[in-house]
Amino acid sequence: MSLSRSPSPRRGGGWASPGLTDFNNISGKSSPRKPYGDIQANGSVSGSGDGVTWASAKAKSEEIKGYPSFSTQNNGFFSRHARKLSASLPTFSMGGRRDYSDKEKLGRGRWPPMQGSRTGRFLTYAGRTIWRFRLRVGVLLGLILAIILFYATPLHRWYRRAGWLGGGNKFVVILAANQGGGVMEWKGPREWAIERDSVRNKKKYAKKWGYDLEIVDMSTKKRYAHEWRESWEKVDTIRNCMRKYPKAEWFWWLDLNTFIMEPSYSLQSHIFNDLLANTYRDINVYNPLNISHPFKSPHLDAVARSPTGNGLAESIDLVIPQDCGGFNLGSFFTRRSIWTDRLLDIWWDPVGYEQKHMEWEHKEQDALEHLYISQPWIRPHTAFIPQRKINSFPMGACGENGEDKRIHYSEKERDFVVNMAGCEWGRDCWGEMYNFRELSNKLNRTPWEKFKDGISDGIKKMKGKGKKED
């Protein structure tokens, strides 16, 4: 029988189609070919068969393909799509033995192998690591994105202001502006510069923490019937603010000559999260006025006769600092309560300013001291705060040297607020305000600003040394 098909290129003879080879008819024109034999269950080949069966051919095909032709696993909808996604991802080759060569060039969806350049090895390693920890990397990137969006948008201000989150709407900052302007005296450029810096400082702080800011015009306009009442309007202003902000709880009064040195301190973290630890009820802790405390009268209840009242933070409605001369109302807190309404009514009573205005040099401040000394119901709701907590003095106030650690500002300990009290009496108000403003800017620089300033200072030093050598 003559056949037109070409012989098989396999060594050992045979035709390209195994079924056409007749092993019984061996002649010199064709080489004998080793039969496939039957594949047993254990995978071994039995050479007893003379022909190629369908089972042996199928087994050989499956051996070449490397996987079964039919499988019931991973045939669901999501599994099929997952295989499609994984098949579209770039492949990674970690090197090793390769019995084949790539038909396509590198770069067509495939990264360089490990035995390639350093960049290729790094990209391969980074890609495998990221893919291995893809869930963690995704969570981390989402967290970073959320933080950036939180601070890049007004969301953080809303968070700080919300009453059930940051609690910023519970605080109102009251700033006295234009003090003495109007009828009493004309304001010059320095006075306007002081007011501009002070107002900008309070606006920035209130906006940062979500507080309300009330800027009060304290110019003398003869709004009241009596001439001496013009300097007592601090009490009336607090009452008006309580009506204007019905949801607020605490009201912080600040004089114009104050400057917030550390805007990163919130009132909550600095004072009110632990009010008992940051204040003291017994005035004998620091008593520059030598007030006798507590009351000894037997007709008073136990709370009125106690040096610390009932000892609860909820009963504190007035927080004031003391300087070397007694109470200081340049920076103090009042709380909305029935007790506070009663205090403001009595504090604003005409009897005080009409009969005592010649004796009380510090006006409403001396009036409050008089009420504290003479009225037992005032003391259980009054707490004192260390002066440097909210009202540090600069050098020159309460002493020439400025060495009192209870009163004077400390740059090392980063005091919260500085009050240039009495600077109009022989001191330079604008000079002090400017120096403390520049110091605050320096202390609160960002890392990038510190880096730039360091380079600038280094260049200046090098130029200075060059000039000296010349």
Side-chain angles (χ1 to χ4, degrees):
M1 180 177 71
S2 64
L3 299 175
S4 62
R5 299 184 62 97
S6 62
S8 171
R10 286 178 170 272
R11 292 183 180 181
W15 299 91
S17 299
L20 300 178
T21 304
D22 185 3
F23 292 99
N24 296 322
N25 185 15
I26 302 175
S27 62
K29 295 182 180 180
S30 64
S31 301
R33 184 179 183 278
K34 183 179 180 180
Y36 282 105
D38 294 332
I39 305 249
Q40 304 298 327
N42 58 1
S44 63
V45 179
S46 128
S48 61
D50 294 334
V52 178
T53 64
W54 171 255
S56 63
K58 181 180 179 182
K60 190 66 176 178
S61 176
E62 291 174 353
E63 180 179 343
I64 294 173
K65 292 180 180 179
Y67 55 86
S69 61
F70 177 78
S71 176
T72 58
Q73 297 180 355
N74 299 326
N75 281 326
F77 175 79
F78 294 102
S79 300
R80 290 198 303 272
H81 284 272
R83 289 200 301 272
K84 290 181 180 179
L85 290 175
S86 62
S88 63
L89 294 174
T91 59
F92 304 94
S93 176
M94 299 301 293
R97 182 178 178 181
R98 297 178 60 180
D99 295 332
Y100 63 92
S101 60
D102 293 332
K103 293 183 179 180
E104 71 275 9
K105 295 182 179 180
L106 294 176
R108 297 180 180 176
R110 188 171 299 211
W111 293 358
M114 285 294 291
Q115 60 266 28
S117 62
R118 293 183 179 180
T119 305
R121 291 197 298 268
F122 173 76
L123 291 176
T124 301
Y125 176 77
R128 290 177 62 88
T129 303
I130 293 174
W131 178 249
R132 182 182 302 173
F133 301 102
R134 56 189 178 276
L135 181 59
R136 300 178 184 177
V137 172
V139 173
L140 179 61
L141 293 177
L143 181 61
I144 294 174
L145 179 62
I147 294 175
I148 293 175
L149 291 177
F150 180 78
Y151 286 101
T153 62
L155 185 61
H156 67 285
R157 297 195 187 100
W158 175 84
Y159 172 85
R160 290 172 175 173
R161 180 167 176 76
W164 56 283
L165 292 174
N169 62 350
K170 296 181 180 179
F171 298 88
V172 176
V173 181
I174 306 174
L175 177 63
N178 200 21
Q179 286 182 316
V183 177
M184 302 297 292
E185 60 179 298
W186 291 102
K187 295 176 66 172
R190 285 176 171 262
E191 287 75 16
W192 284 114
I194 292 172
E195 182 169 324
R196 182 182 61 250
D197 287 349
S198 181
V199 171
R200 184 188 298 118
N201 174 248
K202 310 307 184 298
K203 283 184 176 180
K204 183 177 179 181
Y205 180 77
K207 182 179 180 181
K208 178 181 179 66
W209 294 106
Y211 305 146
D212 288 305
L213 175 63
E214 183 70 13
I215 301 176
V216 183
D217 185 6
M218 303 289 286
S219 59
T220 306
K221 296 180 180 179
K222 296 297 179 184
R223 290 169 293 184
Y224 305 106
H226 202 283
E227 59 179 326
W228 296 301
R229 196 159 187 167
E230 289 290 342
S231 56
W232 290 63
E233 67 269 31
K234 183 179 295 186
V235 182
D236 191 34
T237 299
I238 295 174
R239 295 200 306 179
N240 294 334
C241 287
M242 287 186 174
R243 289 192 293 266
K244 184 176 180 180
Y245 301 95
K247 295 183 179 180
E249 181 181 2
W250 285 97
F251 297 83
W252 183 21
W253 178 275
L254 285 172
D255 282 349
L256 184 65
N257 290 332
T258 58
F259 197 87
I260 299 175
M261 298 294 293
E262 299 296 332
S264 60
Y265 297 174
S266 68
L267 296 178
Q268 296 94 313
S269 62
H270 189 57
I271 300 172
F272 292 98
N273 287 346
D274 196 354
L275 187 58
L276 288 178
N278 291 314
T279 58
Y280 58 94
R281 309 283 281 274
D282 188 359
I283 196 174
N284 294 312
V285 173
Y286 180 62
N287 193 358
L289 297 176
N290 294 321
I291 298 174
S292 178
H293 182 76
F295 284 101
K296 304 294 185 180
S297 301
H299 66 278
L300 299 174
D301 59 13
V303 175
R305 287 185 282 110
S306 172
T308 58
N310 61 6
L312 300 177
E314 293 77 11
S315 63
I316 298 177
D317 296 313
L318 179 65
V319 180
I320 54 178
Q322 293 189 96
D323 57 23
C324 58
F327 295 3
N328 188 286
L329 300 182
S331 173
F332 71 99
F333 293 92
T334 56
R335 185 179 194 172
R336 182 192 301 277
S337 67
I338 299 175
W339 180 91
T340 303
D341 291 338
R342 183 182 176 189
L343 172 65
L344 294 176
D345 287 341
I346 296 177
W347 198 358
W348 186 244
D349 192 277
V351 176
Y353 68 82
E354 285 188 355
Q355 297 185 7
K356 295 290 185 177
H357 70 276
M358 298 298 293
E359 300 178 18
W360 291 342
E361 180 183 359
H362 299 98
K363 307 176 180 74
E364 75 284 347
Q365 188 168 288
D366 291 339
L368 182 62
E369 292 176 353
H370 174 76
L371 292 174
Y372 184 87
I373 294 172
S374 60
Q375 301 297 323
W377 62 273
I378 298 288
R379 300 189 187 187
H381 295 267
T382 302
F384 301 95
I385 189 169
Q387 182 174 355
R388 284 178 49 199
K389 200 80 174 174
I390 62 169
N391 197 42
S392 298
F393 276 2
M395 187 187 311
C398 278
E400 296 295 333
N401 298 326
E403 297 177 351
D404 195 334
K405 295 182 179 180
R406 294 173 300 184
I407 296 175
H408 294 102
Y409 174 80
S410 173
E411 176 184 349
K412 183 179 180 180
E413 298 184 19
R414 305 289 290 267
D415 290 350
F416 181 35
V417 178
V418 63
N419 182 7
M420 282 71 75
C423 63
E424 62 272 14
W425 308 105
R427 305 203 319 265
D428 184 4
C429 294
W430 163 243
E432 291 183 1
M433 177 69 74
Y434 175 81
N435 291 332
F436 281 110
R437 184 194 68 189
E438 294 300 311
L439 178 60
S440 177
N441 294 336
K442 178 182 177 182
L443 295 176
N444 293 279
R445 291 176 297 173
T446 62
W448 174 245
E449 291 173 341
K450 292 180 180 179
F451 175 74
K452 292 191 298 182
D453 291 343
I455 295 178
S456 177
D457 293 341
I459 294 175
K460 290 179 180 179
K461 289 182 180 179
M462 293 176 61
K463 289 182 177 180
K465 290 182 179 179
K467 291 181 179 180
K468 289 182 180 179
E469 290 178 357
D470 295 338

